[in-house]
Amino acid sequence: MMTPMRYILLVLTILIGLHYILSITHEEYGKATSVSRLTNYINGPQPPYKDGVPDMYYKPSEPVQIPERKANATFVMLVRNSDGPNIMNSMKQIEDRFNKKFQYPYVFLNDKPFTDNFKKYVSQLTDAPVEFGLIPSEHWSQPEWIDETKATAAREDMIKNSVIYGGSVPYRNMCRFNSGFFYKQELLQKYKYYWRVEPDVKFFCDVDYDPFLLMQDQQKVYGFTISLYEYEATIPTLWGAVKDFIKENPELLPADNAMPFISDDGGVTYNRCHFWSNFEIADMDFWRSEAYTKFFNFLDSRGGFYYERWGDAPVHSLGAALFAKRDQIHFFNDIGYRHEPFQHCPQGDLHKNGKCWCDPGSNFDYEWYSCLSRYDKLF
């Protein structure tokens, strides 16, 4: 006769055995099911999105008709490898707004070798030629003759006074390079005109004409979209150096230059107006001229790029205002453009025709810190 204890032990043994059998069966079933599902996923039909949109829904692209007449011109982009996403943003807008129709080439410049990924991704954005150049160290580095003790003290003082980029040597290298060396780069020697494009800028309007041909046919040498006052703390001795140069080289200044744009008293003082050089369409032969070459070399010898923080914007603007005739400087009113925090948004019919997508009410042209009204008074 089975005792109660033996009965309990027998029931427990049967339950444990059943649990073990079921566990093994469930595990094997799970494995089979998992493998079966994986096999079906790999070998079975793909989700619809994997096949893409059928060709029947696409409108055929019109073949690009490259204009028969073009200027000897290129885009110039001074960038670092880390600027890749932001320069691609700018470049995509340039292509969509203008260059798909005109197919001008690109020249990228860097003080470090470009990576293969950078070259690959920017080249995919255009059908136009793209070249990549390495800047020689002597065109980028702080010159050996600069008194580093004096330069360090100047940077420390600017940091204390919260001057933007006041403590940066690379920024100073860039300003000096853009002022006097970019147009000397080997890849640019074959070109006359350039359009400077920077990372993460916006182009608001379709450009259906060729700005380079306008520059060429109308003998313009410098084009801009935004003008404003320079930060005085960055250029305390710049105008003094400019006046010294003018005194030594008065014959280099044409009588009908744009001096009134940069000085309200005939050259006695500088009003700090300059063209914002992050956008410029200009003639490199003007920078290569005797007048500007002497001018840059004279300024460079003063060391102000490092003892202060002279920018390429005032240096280019002073050069254009002094050595070009005033009617050779062009305001590209119809090119909508933004470089933080300012923007030029064209006014009038371009919006009616759907050519621009900026807010006409958000426009820097005649804000209190703009110098466009001074440019207007030249004519």
Side-chain angles (χ1 to χ4, degrees):
M1 182 175 180
M2 185 176 291
T3 64
M5 180 58 70
R6 287 181 177 179
Y7 179 79
I8 292 171
L9 289 173
L10 178 61
V11 172
L12 287 173
T13 301
I14 293 171
L15 289 173
I16 291 171
L18 288 171
H19 177 73
Y20 177 74
I21 292 169
L22 290 172
S23 297
I24 293 175
T25 304
H26 178 74
E27 182 180 352
E28 292 302 319
Y29 174 78
K31 288 181 180 178
T33 302
S34 298
V35 171
S36 175
R37 287 175 178 172
L38 181 61
T39 301
N40 289 338
Y41 178 78
I42 294 174
N43 299 324
Q46 298 291 323
Y49 73 86
K50 293 281 187 177
D51 296 327
V53 177
D55 291 341
M56 61 183 288
Y57 293 105
Y58 284 93
K59 178 182 177 181
S61 299
E62 296 294 334
V64 174
Q65 300 292 328
I66 300 177
E68 294 182 2
R69 192 168 74 96
K70 293 175 64 175
N72 179 18
T74 183
F75 294 100
V76 174
M77 301 185 179
L78 174 64
V79 290
R80 301 161 296 188
N81 287 300
S82 59
D83 292 323
N86 289 335
I87 200 63
M88 289 171 69
N89 179 34
S90 301
M91 187 177 173
K92 177 61 174 171
Q93 292 182 62
I94 281 287
E95 283 294 306
D96 291 347
R97 293 295 184 177
F98 168 74
N99 206 44
K100 280 185 178 179
K101 300 184 286 285
F102 293 92
Q103 296 288 292
Y104 278 101
Y106 292 83
V107 172
F108 287 85
L109 300 174
N110 192 349
D111 67 308
K112 301 289 191 300
F114 283 106
T115 64
D116 290 339
N117 273 345
F118 184 98
K119 293 178 181 179
K120 172 184 175 182
Y121 291 123
V122 301
S123 298
Q124 289 174 344
L125 293 178
T126 182
D127 293 326
V130 182
E131 294 184 284
F132 302 90
L134 179 63
I135 300 169
S137 59
E138 62 270 22
H139 288 176
W140 186 264
S141 304
Q142 177 176 301
E144 294 182 358
W145 51 265
I146 290 292
D147 182 341
E148 180 53 31
T149 301
K150 181 178 178 181
T152 299
R155 293 195 300 271
E156 291 175 350
D157 185 62
M158 286 192 177
I159 292 172
K160 291 177 183 177
N161 290 292
S162 301
V163 176
I164 187 170
Y165 303 118
S168 175
V169 174
Y171 186 84
R172 288 169 166 82
N173 291 338
M174 179 193 71
C175 290
R176 180 172 179 261
F177 173 79
N178 278 329
S179 295
F181 294 99
F182 86 90
Y183 49 87
K184 297 179 180 179
Q185 301 311 294
E186 182 179 357
L187 294 179
L188 293 176
Q189 294 308 298
K190 56 182 174 286
Y191 297 112
K192 177 176 174 64
Y193 299 99
Y194 71 98
W195 182 335
R196 175 173 163 180
V197 179
E198 294 209 346
D200 206 25
V201 296
K202 292 181 176 64
F203 295 94
F204 294 121
C205 303
D206 293 336
V207 182
D208 295 326
Y209 70 97
D210 190 335
F212 294 122
L213 281 181
L214 181 146
M215 298 286 288
Q216 174 182 291
D217 293 350
Q218 298 187 13
Q219 298 183 333
K220 308 290 187 182
V221 297
Y222 193 85
F224 71 99
T225 57
I226 294 174
S227 60
L228 67 164
Y229 294 94
E230 180 60 301
Y231 192 9
E232 190 169 9
T234 66
I235 54 165
T237 68
L238 176 57
W239 186 247
V242 171
K243 289 175 68 176
D244 289 344
F245 179 83
I246 293 173
K247 186 176 180 179
E248 293 181 15
N249 302 275
E251 74 284 355
L252 296 177
L253 280 64
D256 53 349
N257 66 9
M259 176 68 82
F261 176 73
I262 57 176
S263 177
D264 302 327
D265 49 22
V268 177
T269 60
Y270 177 34
N271 60 25
R272 296 183 289 116
C273 279
H274 67 285
F275 308 115
W276 221 19
S277 62
N278 45 70
F279 172 102
E280 52 187 14
I281 300 176
D283 182 349
M284 284 184 282
D285 285 346
F286 179 74
W287 305 133
R288 296 165 180 149
S289 69
E290 177 189 7
Y292 186 80
T293 298
K294 286 185 175 180
F295 180 67
F296 170 75
N297 289 339
F298 185 90
L299 295 183
D300 194 34
S301 69
R302 295 292 181 97
F305 291 104
Y306 296 96
Y307 299 144
E308 296 176 11
R309 206 223 66 190
W310 295 355
D312 56 275
V315 172
H316 272 192
S317 302
L318 291 167
L322 293 174
F323 308 122
K325 297 178 181 180
R326 63 185 64 186
D327 61 3
Q328 290 181 298
I329 300 173
H330 183 72
F331 173 44
F332 280 102
N333 184 37
D334 45 11
I335 297 182
Y337 175 74
R338 181 177 183 87
H339 183 294
E340 294 295 340
F342 305 118
Q343 75 178 37
H344 165 65
C345 183
Q347 310 291 294
D349 290 342
L350 283 172
H351 293 273
K352 295 178 182 178
N353 298 331
K355 297 294 184 181
C356 296
W357 56 274
C358 53
D359 177 4
S362 179
N363 183 37
F364 183 69
D365 289 359
Y366 295 106
E367 296 292 331
W368 70 272
Y369 205 64
S370 171
C371 288
L372 185 61
S373 60
R374 295 180 185 273
Y375 171 81
D376 291 343
K377 293 175 182 177
L378 293 174
F379 305 97

